[in-house]
């Protein structure tokens, strides 16, 4: 027993320290948090509890609400469970670093440093899906970075297929994952034989979950889509060229431009202007149901984007894509009861935000280096895998929605740090793996 504890002292130490830290934050904050998006999750959970979806308007997918439902909609219990998720996430981060040939000591300190990022604690107190998404992403990357492309194991493929299906039911945005995984598998030492592979299992459960859920949504709101938000989100991308849409959509354009200009003048978040068009019932009496309104928003957005592709790509890059590399601060949405604790957390948060911004900038710089390396050597390794996922997420979110885009980066921030560490290890031989304590020197 003593030898076992000694051999695994880093992982047990990590779990113990995080348990204490999260418990201290829990008692210091002594609350749970609600954001504007929390309402939709709470509403969905109520529908699950009542087993009645007559009022379902297509606002959310079931992945995260079902977790809250299993916890009997007890919000304090949700917070404690999400803190437990944070500890499990740290475990997979630690194991991932070991798989990437970092020493146990380095893996311990890097994981501890990353897990004590105060935004992790913030998200764990919210009725929001980010903590659950972070956990699922971390497990997926643990598998992918553990020599995944060299393996042909049915159990691994089934496990990944299940994880991806759950992830997609939490947020349909992740539907690109199985495509990207399989594409990277094909690119690594391509042969036509690889086109028919056990790795095609990856697509089965994610596709089943996605299309089955879309069928349920179609039954309830009349549109075959994962949520009713897609049209509204796409219309957000038209914010700065909203008036350039076809005249037939003037009933949307006129109030949209009006709210946009007012919000910009008042220094408000103008990305929410399209929501005011819905809130002001400007499409009534012809369109009053949320799903019908957002469907019209989608038609308007597609027509406007098609005729203004230059504006669309320009603003997608300069707004949506650029915002991905910022840090979305959840603290303003939180209510601290202890002023001293609030002040301490504010100082830590401010310092950490600057550090994370610097790390993101370093990651972007390194991306250019590795792009050159990919063109030169054409090798698919751990770094290339992480770059592919992070930049795919950055580009796709920019093309789909404008507003709070920095939240899309949250599940990837740790892995941006991993890319930086891998570069330092590769180029300068830092963080070399040392012999395990049980092994002879």
């Amino acid at each position: 027993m003593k030898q076992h504890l000694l051999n695994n002292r880093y992982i047990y130490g990590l779990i113990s320290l995080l348990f204490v830290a999260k418990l201290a934050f829990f008692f210091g904050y002594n609350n749970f948090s609600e954001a504007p998006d929390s309402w939709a999750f709470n509403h969905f959970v109520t529908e699950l509890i009542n087993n009645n979806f007559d009022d379902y308007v297509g606002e959310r997918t079931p992945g995260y609400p079902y977790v809250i439902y299993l916890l009997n909609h007890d919000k304090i219990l949700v917070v404690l469970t999400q803190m437990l998720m944070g500890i499990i996430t740290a475990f997979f981060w630690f194991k991932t670093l070991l798989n990437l040939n970092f020493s146990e000591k380095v893996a311990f300190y890097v994981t501890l440093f990353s897990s004590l990022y105060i935004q992790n604690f913030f998200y764990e107190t919210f009725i929001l899906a980010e903590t659950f998404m972070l956990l699922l992403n971390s497990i997926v990357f643990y598998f992918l970075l553990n020599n995944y492309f060299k393996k042909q194991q049915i159990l691994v493929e089934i496990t990944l297929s299940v994880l991806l299906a759950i992830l997609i039911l939490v947020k349909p945005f992740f539907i690109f994952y199985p495509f990207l995984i399989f594409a990277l598998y094909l690119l690594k030492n391509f042969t036509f034989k690889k086109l028919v592979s056990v790795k095609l299992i990856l697509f089965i459960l994610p596709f089943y979950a996605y299309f089955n859920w879309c069928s349920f949504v179609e039954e309830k709101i009349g549109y075959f889509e994962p949520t009713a938000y897609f049209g509204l989100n796409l219309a957000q991308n038209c914010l700065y060229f909203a008036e350039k849409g076809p005249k037939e959509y003037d009933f949307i354009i006129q109030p949209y431009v009006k709210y946009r200009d007012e919000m910009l003048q008042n220094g408000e978040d103008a990305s929410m202007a399209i929501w005011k068009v819905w809130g002001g019932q400007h499409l009534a009496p012809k369109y009053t149901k949320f799903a019908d309104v957002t469907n019209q928003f989608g038609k308007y957005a597609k027509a406007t984007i098609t005729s203004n592709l230059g504006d669309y790509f320009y603003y997608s890059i300069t707004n949506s894509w650029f915002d991905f590399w910022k840090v979305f601060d959840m603290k303003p949405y939180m209510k601290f009861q202890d002023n001293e604790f609030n002040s301490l957390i504010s100082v830590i948060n401010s310092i950490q935000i600057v550090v994370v911004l610097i790390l993101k900038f370093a990651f972007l710089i390194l991306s250019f280096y590795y792009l050159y390396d990919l063109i030169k050597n054409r090798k698919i390794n751990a770094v290339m895998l992480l770059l592919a996922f992070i930049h795919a997420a950055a580009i796709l979110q920019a093309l789909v929605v404008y507003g709070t885009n920095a939240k899309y980066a949250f599940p990837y921030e740790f892995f941006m740090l991993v890319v930086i560490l891998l570069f330092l290890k590769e180029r300068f031989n830092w963080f070399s793996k040392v012999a395990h304590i049980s092994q002879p020197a």
Side-chain angles (χ1 to χ4, degrees), residues 290-323:
F290 180 69
D292 292 334
V293 171
T294 56
N295 181 255
Q296 290 301 308
F297 286 162
K299 290 180 178 179
Y300 153 74
K302 290 172 186 175
T304 304
I305 289 169
T306 300
S307 58
N308 298 278
L309 284 174
D311 287 318
Y312 171 62
F313 287 116
Y314 173 77
Y315 287 110
S316 291
I317 293 170
T318 58
N319 288 279
S320 305
W321 181 85
F322 185 79
D323 284 353

Side-chain angles (χ1 to χ4, degrees), residues 259-357:
Y259 287 126
R260 178 197 68 190
D261 293 345
E262 287 177 355
M263 295 177 81
L264 287 173
Q265 188 174 359
N266 295 331
E268 300 175 52
D269 180 10
S271 68
M272 302 303 291
I274 193 68
W275 281 91
K276 289 199 171 188
V277 178
W278 150 247
Q281 293 291 295
H282 289 282
L283 278 67
K286 189 174 181 180
Y287 305 105
T288 54
K289 288 174 59 179
F290 180 69
D292 292 334
V293 171
T294 56
N295 181 255
Q296 290 301 308
F297 286 162
K299 290 180 178 179
Y300 153 74
K302 290 172 186 175
T304 304
I305 289 169
T306 300
S307 58
N308 298 278
L309 284 174
D311 287 318
Y312 171 62
F313 287 116
Y314 173 77
Y315 287 110
S316 291
I317 293 170
T318 58
N319 288 279
S320 305
W321 181 85
F322 185 79
D323 284 353
F324 182 87
W325 305 105
K326 297 178 182 178
V327 175
F328 189 83
D329 188 6
M330 296 302 298
K331 189 176 183 300
Y333 296 95
M334 302 176 72
K335 296 179 181 178
F336 285 81
Q337 298 170 358
D338 186 323
N339 290 331
E340 290 185 5
F341 185 69
N342 181 28
S343 299
L344 174 63
I345 293 299
S346 295
V347 172
I348 296 171
N349 186 45
S350 298
I351 295 171
Q352 287 187 340
I353 285 177
V354 174
V355 172
V356 172
L357 285 172

Side-chain angles (χ1 to χ4, degrees), residues 48-341:
L48 281 171
I49 292 171
N50 297 330
N51 194 27
N52 184 343
F53 295 90
D54 292 342
D55 296 328
Y56 180 70
V57 295
E59 69 271 26
R60 289 297 172 192
T61 48
Y64 178 64
Y66 197 74
V67 173
I68 305 175
Y69 165 74
L70 292 175
L71 298 171
N72 201 31
H73 210 176
D74 185 326
K75 293 178 180 178
I76 294 299
L77 189 56
V78 171
V79 171
L80 288 170
T81 301
Q82 289 182 165
M83 288 185 167
L84 177 61
M85 288 180 185
I87 294 173
I88 298 171
T89 297
F91 171 82
F92 280 100
W93 285 355
F94 179 82
K95 299 296 285 185
T96 297
L97 289 169
L98 292 185
N99 288 338
L100 293 173
N101 292 315
F102 288 96
S103 68
E104 284 189 313
K105 186 175 182 180
V106 169
F108 169 79
Y109 284 113
V110 170
T111 304
L112 184 64
F113 168 80
S114 302
S115 299
L116 293 178
Y117 178 36
I118 207 72
Q119 292 292 328
N120 293 332
F121 292 80
F122 291 169
Y123 278 113
E124 288 164 0
T125 69
F126 276 87
I127 306 301
L128 289 175
E130 268 66 23
T131 297
F132 192 34
M133 284 192 290
L134 178 62
L135 170 62
L136 292 170
N137 270 286
S138 298
I139 300 174
V140 168
F141 284 125
Y142 165 76
F143 279 100
L144 295 179
L145 294 170
N146 190 18
N147 294 317
Y148 169 75
F149 295 119
K150 295 180 180 179
K151 297 176 180 178
Q152 297 280 343
Q153 298 177 1
I154 292 179
L155 185 59
V156 171
E157 306 305 336
I158 293 174
T159 303
L160 263 180
S161 188
V162 171
L163 288 169
L164 294 176
I166 297 171
L167 195 53
I168 289 165
L169 287 177
V170 174
K171 194 165 193 169
F173 171 77
F174 296 109
I175 189 66
F176 74 92
Y177 270 29
F179 293 98
L180 184 54
I181 293 170
F182 195 70
L184 290 170
Y185 166 69
L186 292 178
L187 286 172
K188 189 175 178 67
N189 303 319
F190 175 77
T191 63
F192 286 102
K193 190 177 180 180
K194 295 176 76 174
L195 290 169
V196 181
S197 164
V198 69
K199 295 192 181 297
L200 289 171
I201 291 173
L202 280 179
F203 291 93
I204 298 174
L205 289 177
F207 271 38
Y208 175 79
Y210 183 83
F211 287 109
N212 198 44
W213 178 250
C214 287
S215 296
F216 174 84
V217 174
E218 184 180 33
E219 179 187 329
K220 296 300 178 185
I221 68 173
Y223 301 102
F224 188 81
E225 52 193 13
T227 74
Y229 284 132
F230 180 72
L232 188 149
N233 290 340
L234 204 57
Q236 285 180 294
N237 270 344
C238 301
L239 178 68
Y240 293 103
F241 55 99
E243 56 270 54
K244 294 183 179 181
K247 292 296 182 183
E248 63 189 280
Y249 292 105
D250 275 351
F251 64 101
I252 295 174
I253 294 171
Q254 290 177 4
Y256 192 6
V257 172
K258 173 179 172 289
Y259 287 126
R260 178 197 68 190
D261 293 345
E262 287 177 355
M263 295 177 81
L264 287 173
Q265 188 174 359
N266 295 331
E268 300 175 52
D269 180 10
S271 68
M272 302 303 291
I274 193 68
W275 281 91
K276 289 199 171 188
V277 178
W278 150 247
Q281 293 291 295
H282 289 282
L283 278 67
K286 189 174 181 180
Y287 305 105
T288 54
K289 288 174 59 179
F290 180 69
D292 292 334
V293 171
T294 56
N295 181 255
Q296 290 301 308
F297 286 162
K299 290 180 178 179
Y300 153 74
K302 290 172 186 175
T304 304
I305 289 169
T306 300
S307 58
N308 298 278
L309 284 174
D311 287 318
Y312 171 62
F313 287 116
Y314 173 77
Y315 287 110
S316 291
I317 293 170
T318 58
N319 288 279
S320 305
W321 181 85
F322 185 79
D323 284 353
F324 182 87
W325 305 105
K326 297 178 182 178
V327 175
F328 189 83
D329 188 6
M330 296 302 298
K331 189 176 183 300
Y333 296 95
M334 302 176 72
K335 296 179 181 178
F336 285 81
Q337 298 170 358
D338 186 323
N339 290 331
E340 290 185 5
F341 185 69

Side-chain angles (χ1 to χ4, degrees), residues 365-400:
I365 297 298
L366 286 179
S367 296
F368 291 105
Y369 165 80
Y370 280 114
L371 177 61
Y372 168 77
D373 188 58
L374 176 64
I375 295 170
K376 181 181 178 182
N377 298 313
R378 299 182 182 180
K379 60 181 180 181
I380 304 296
N381 53 22
V383 171
M384 294 306 170
L385 185 146
L386 292 175
L387 288 174
F389 274 90
I390 295 169
H391 284 291
I395 293 168
L396 290 173
Q397 59 82 34
L399 297 175
V400 172

